[in-house]
């Protein structure tokens, strides 16, 4: 039984690591897409939001807010609490 | 004027001393000195964990160098800096529970302990300790220089005396208080950074006549300043994106960060730290670099980028408030230096001395050694920092890149890939560091990406190939 428990903790850990990778990829695409998608034109044609160039506003400011909300949601909803100590001896 | 600006700093130093003394008391009564001194007894809660990770990471490079470069490059550099938001959640999610469970099972106190148990190889231990000591030592020297410079520009003292004040302040609380002192002072320092950057950003916005006005001034001076491509238009998307590896995901492999991922109390603390860490890292990075950009129209023509932050604070705020705000970069530097110092010391004591020189040293001897080595290392760094090279950011990034190329795969694959073995780890470390140094020297940067990218890829390929090739040999031994 103990072995089984060790395994299931690692399954959780593996899944959460994959979620981390997924979040980074999403984060990167958002950041890159807005920055270079809106920022590549000539600065004279930029639009502005709250005084900042739109590319910067969406990529960096909104991007940060989106990541904070997403991370909070995912951690609260999908991350599982597990004991970190091995109870007694656990054989691999 | 300087007296007023100095007062908040002196107050901060006194608080740090207090924390050091408080932490040293819990160490004196400790039954497991090594784990307590170097890891705080694995008892960090979520808030402290998030703050100590952020503060350790947000160093002189980001606080003094970063805004300086943003001043020169414009919004493109803020974009680049935002790649660091990923560190807030990625490190803890990737190392996450598995690293923490394994570290407890192995009773690991340092990153090298983990590698030692995972790979069972003397050479992995020696090589990793060696690279930690060399690279982090140079990173630390860069940070001390930052600290000395900052005090110098604030007080008008000579660089040597400024550095001396800085060195003494850090040394005292680290040497007596160990990891717990480092983590708790980091939390205080992190809070100072958070609030300090916010106040300064607001002050700069007001002084510049509002965001629209500032952006307009920047556009008039040089339209490139408000594009993602840098002042001279030479920040290519490939170069900027490659910082996602250097200062984003690669941070997983930095020993001073990884060791924190084995220091927390329970998985609940870790969950909280992920959320708090993302908010704090993102907020600080965004504000701090924006300050650098917004400072440009207000104070044009600063030619030493490292001085942008102190000068703009003194320009836009009353002296006493500037003092509070400038305690922020000071806090950033101290919180990085203290962690590095303790980490290098743990590497010398635990990974080298106890593993190979005197494995059965008495508890009393271990205690004397730990405290002694920490103090001596501090003094050596001080001597190095007396004769400083310029722009600290690059020095610092060199150390980061080297360590990342060395450790990322032995840690990550060691955790998640059963077939990884000592041959793979060793080869991957050698290839990682070796190619990083050679490529940096020969300026090999495919597609204009940062030097770190290729060595990280190479060390991955090496890890996998060598591990697979050496599978049977491992069974035989």
């Amino acid at each position: 039984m103990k072995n089984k428990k060790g395994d299931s903790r690692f399954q959780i850990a593996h899944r959460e690591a994959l979620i981390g990778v997924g979040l980074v990829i999403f984060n990167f695409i958002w950041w890159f897409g807005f920055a270079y998608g809106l920022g590549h034109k000539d600065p004279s044609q930029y639009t502005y939001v709250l005084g900042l160039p739109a590319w910067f506003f969406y990529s960096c400011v909104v991007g940060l807010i989106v990541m904070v909300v997403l991370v909070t949601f995912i951690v609260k909803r999908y991350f599982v609490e597990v004991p970190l100590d091995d109870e007694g001896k656990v054989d691999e | 004027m300087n007296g007023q600006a100095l007062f908040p700093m002196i107050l901060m130093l006194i608080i740090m001393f207090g924390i050091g003394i408080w932490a040293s008391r819990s160490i004196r009564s400790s039954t497991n000195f090594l784990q307590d001194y170097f890891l705080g007894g694995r008892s960090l809660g979520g808030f402290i964990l998030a703050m100590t990770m952020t503060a350790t990471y947000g160093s002189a490079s980001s606080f003094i160098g970063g805004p300086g470069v943003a001043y020169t490059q414009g919004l493109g550099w803020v974009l680049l800096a935002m790649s660091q938001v990923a560190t807030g959640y990625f490190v803890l999610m990737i190392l996450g529970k598995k690293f923490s469970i394994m570290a407890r099972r192995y009773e690991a106190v340092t990153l090298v302990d983990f590698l030692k148990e995972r790979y069972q190889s003397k050479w992995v231990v020696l090589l990793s300790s060696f690279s930690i000591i060399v690279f982090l030592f140079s990173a630390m020297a860069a940070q001390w220089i930052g600290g000395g410079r900052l005090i110098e520009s604030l007080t008008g003292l000579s660089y040597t005396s400024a550095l001396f004040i800085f060195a003494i302040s850090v040394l005292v609380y680290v040497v007596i208080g160990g990891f717990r002192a480092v983590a708790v002072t980091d939390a205080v320092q992190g809070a100072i950074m958070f609030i300090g950057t916010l106040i300064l950003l607001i002050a700069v916005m007001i002084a510049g006549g509002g965001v629209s006005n500032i952006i307009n001034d920047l556009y008039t001076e040089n339209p490139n300043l408000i594009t993602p491509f840098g002042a001279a238009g030479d920040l290519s998307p490939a170069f900027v994106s490659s910082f996602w590896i250097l200062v984003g995901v690669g941070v997983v492999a930095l020993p001073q960060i990884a060791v924190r991922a084995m220091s927390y109390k329970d998985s609940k603390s870790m969950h909280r730290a992920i959320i708090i860490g993302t908010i704090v890292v993102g907020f600080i990075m965004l504000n701090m670099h924006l300050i650098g950009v917004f400072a440009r129209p207000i104070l044009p023509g600063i030619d030493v980028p490292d001085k942008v932050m102190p000068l703009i604070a003194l320009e836009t705020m009353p002296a006493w408030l500037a003092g509070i705000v400038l305690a922020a970069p000071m806090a950033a530097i101290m919180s990085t230096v203290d962690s590095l110092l303790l980490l290098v010391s743990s590497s010398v004591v635990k990974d080298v001395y106890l593993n190979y020189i005197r494995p059965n040293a008495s508890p009393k001897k271990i205690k004397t050694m730990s405290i002694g080595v920490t103090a001596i290392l501090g003094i050596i760094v001080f001597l190095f920092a007396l004769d400083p090279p310029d722009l600290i950011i690059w020095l610092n990034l060199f150390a980061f890149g080297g360590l990342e190329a060395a450790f990322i795969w032995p840690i990550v694959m060691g955790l998640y890939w059963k077939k990884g073995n000592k041959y793979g780890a060793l080869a991957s470390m050698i290839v990682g560091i070796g190619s990083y140094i050679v490529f940096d020297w020969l300026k090999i940067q495919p597609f204009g990406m940062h030097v770190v990218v290729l060595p990280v890829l190479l060390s991955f390929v090496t890890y996998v190939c060598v591990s697979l090739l050496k599978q049977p040999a491992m069974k035989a031994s």
Side-chain angles (χ1 to χ4, degrees):
Chain A
M1 278 317 279
K2 289 246 166 82
N3 251 334
K4 192 107 190 264
K5 186 164 160 285
D7 286 347
S8 74
R9 281 190 304 171
F10 287 152
Q11 262 176 20
I12 291 169
H14 291 198
R15 198 188 61 180
E16 290 175 1
L18 284 177
I19 292 177
V21 175
L23 277 173
V24 157
I25 293 171
F26 172 80
N27 193 175
F28 178 79
I29 292 171
W30 182 289
W31 171 92
F32 190 95
F34 279 109
Y36 296 105
L38 297 174
H40 77 278
K41 39 186 175 192
D42 192 84
S44 61
Q45 314 205 320
Y46 279 178
T47 50
Y48 297 87
V49 185
L50 297 178
L52 293 164
W55 71 264
F56 182 82
F57 181 78
Y58 290 115
S59 170
C60 296
V61 181
V62 178
L64 174 59
I65 296 167
V66 165
M67 283 320 291
V68 167
V69 171
L70 200 58
V71 165
T72 310
F73 173 74
I74 285 178
V75 168
K76 296 233 183 234
R77 187 90 168 68
Y78 297 106
F79 275 45
V80 186
E81 280 178 29
V82 297
L84 300 173
D85 287 304
D86 294 329
E87 288 167 0
K89 288 265 183 287
V90 176
D91 304 347
E92 270 292 277
Chain B
M1 178 198 87
N2 279 331
Q4 271 183 325
L6 266 184
F7 179 71
M9 276 208 186
I10 294 167
L11 191 69
M12 182 175 93
L13 293 184
I14 293 172
I15 295 174
M16 303 303 142
F17 285 145
I19 294 173
I21 291 165
W22 163 79
S24 74
R25 285 188 19 213
S26 65
I27 281 175
R28 214 170 297 145
S29 59
S30 136
T31 47
N32 186 343
F33 176 78
L34 275 178
Q35 178 159 314
D36 269 322
Y37 190 72
F38 289 124
L39 214 49
R42 294 188 217 277
S43 62
L44 295 195
F47 176 75
I48 304 260
L49 175 62
M51 289 313 243
T52 186
M53 288 196 115
T54 309
T56 301
Y57 183 61
S59 52
S61 73
S62 35
F63 246 87
I64 303 293
V69 185
Y71 176 89
T72 321
Q73 291 282 13
L75 288 181
W77 199 261
V78 188
L79 177 71
L80 182 149
M82 287 311 278
S83 58
Q84 300 175 55
V85 173
T87 58
Y89 55 91
F90 188 75
V91 173
L92 279 174
M93 285 187 183
I94 291 299
L95 296 180
K97 287 159 189 161
K98 184 137 192 196
F99 190 56
S100 186
I101 292 168
M102 298 313 278
R104 277 161 206 250
R105 184 175 294 171
Y106 297 154
E107 296 183 352
V109 171
T110 64
L111 173 64
V112 176
D113 281 340
F114 167 78
L115 297 173
K116 180 181 173 219
E117 290 298 322
R118 171 64 180 80
Y119 294 109
Q120 303 286 343
S121 154
K122 182 181 176 178
W123 290 106
V124 169
V125 173
L126 285 177
L127 186 63
S128 45
S129 321
F130 178 75
S131 34
I132 286 177
I133 293 167
V134 169
F135 279 117
L136 286 190
F137 196 82
S138 60
M140 195 157 49
Q143 300 290 329
W144 290 67
I145 294 161
R149 283 266 171 76
L150 188 69
I151 297 184
E152 180 191 20
S153 63
L154 278 178
T155 58
L157 286 173
S158 73
Y159 175 74
T160 311
S161 354
L163 190 66
F164 186 73
I165 294 177
F166 179 77
I168 294 286
S169 347
V170 174
L171 273 177
V172 170
Y173 73 79
V174 177
V175 170
I176 66 171
F179 188 86
R180 194 171 278 121
V182 169
V184 176
T185 50
D186 279 1
V188 175
Q189 289 153 345
I192 296 175
M193 285 152 69
F194 193 86
I195 297 163
T197 47
L198 182 63
I199 298 176
L200 184 54
L201 182 66
I202 294 170
V204 172
M205 280 186 200
I206 294 172
V211 177
S212 298
N213 218 345
I214 295 173
I215 296 291
N216 207 10
D217 288 344
L218 289 169
Y219 179 78
T220 319
E221 190 204 329
N222 174 1
N224 282 335
L225 288 170
I226 64 163
T227 70
F229 304 106
D234 56 0
L235 291 179
S236 71
F239 177 76
V240 175
S241 299
S242 62
F243 277 74
W244 278 74
I245 293 182
L246 185 67
V247 297
V249 298
V251 170
V252 163
L254 294 180
Q256 70 271 34
I257 299 292
V259 76
R260 278 163 170 67
M262 53 167 93
S263 68
Y264 52 88
K265 190 167 56 186
D266 49 28
S267 56
K268 197 173 174 183
S269 312
M270 173 202 156
H271 294 169
R272 286 194 63 196
I274 291 176
I275 297 172
I276 299 172
T278 309
I279 297 172
V280 175
V281 171
F283 191 83
I284 292 180
M285 291 301 161
L286 180 64
N287 289 354
M288 182 171 76
H289 289 87
L290 268 181
I291 291 168
V293 179
F294 288 178
R296 191 175 179 93
I298 302 165
L299 270 184
I302 301 176
D303 32 338
V304 181
D306 288 0
K307 291 197 169 157
V308 170
M309 189 85 171
L311 287 178
I312 193 72
L314 289 168
E315 168 75 22
T316 55
M317 291 186 286
W320 63 271
L321 191 57
I324 296 178
V325 166
L326 287 174
M330 191 68 195
I333 298 171
M334 286 174 98
S335 58
T336 303
V337 165
D338 58 13
S339 319
L340 293 182
L341 181 58
L342 199 65
L343 199 97
V344 175
S345 164
S346 73
S347 212
V348 172
V349 175
K350 181 79 173 64
D351 303 335
V352 178
Y353 179 78
L354 280 179
N355 275 340
Y356 300 111
I357 299 175
R358 190 152 303 165
N360 42 14
S362 70
K364 199 170 170 340
K365 177 88 182 161
I366 293 175
K367 194 168 171 176
T368 325
M369 271 297 287
S370 306
I371 294 177
V373 167
T374 312
I376 291 168
L377 278 170
I379 294 165
I380 300 175
V381 179
F382 170 74
L383 296 176
F384 265 78
L386 276 177
D387 187 17
D390 241 334
L391 215 62
I392 50 191
I393 192 165
W394 296 114
L395 241 178
N396 207 3
L397 289 182
F398 186 81
F400 275 25
L403 285 168
E404 287 172 4
F407 288 122
I408 189 161
W409 303 116
I411 298 176
V412 174
M413 298 296 274
L415 280 175
Y416 295 106
W417 194 47
K418 279 209 175 82
K419 288 184 176 156
N421 58 32
K422 62 179 174 185
Y423 305 103
L426 201 58
S428 150
M429 284 164 72
I430 295 171
V431 168
I433 302 179
S435 60
Y436 188 79
I437 293 172
V438 172
F439 291 176
D440 189 74
W441 181 43
L442 296 176
K443 304 257 173 288
I444 299 179
Q445 300 172 304
F447 313 111
M449 290 188 294
H450 190 276
V451 188
V452 77
V453 178
L454 210 49
V456 165
L457 290 179
L458 283 178
S459 62
F460 176 73
V461 174
T462 313
Y463 186 96
V464 173
C465 292
V466 176
S467 288
L468 286 177
L469 274 176
K470 284 289 192 175
Q471 285 298 320
M474 203 171 109
K475 269 187 195 124
S477 71

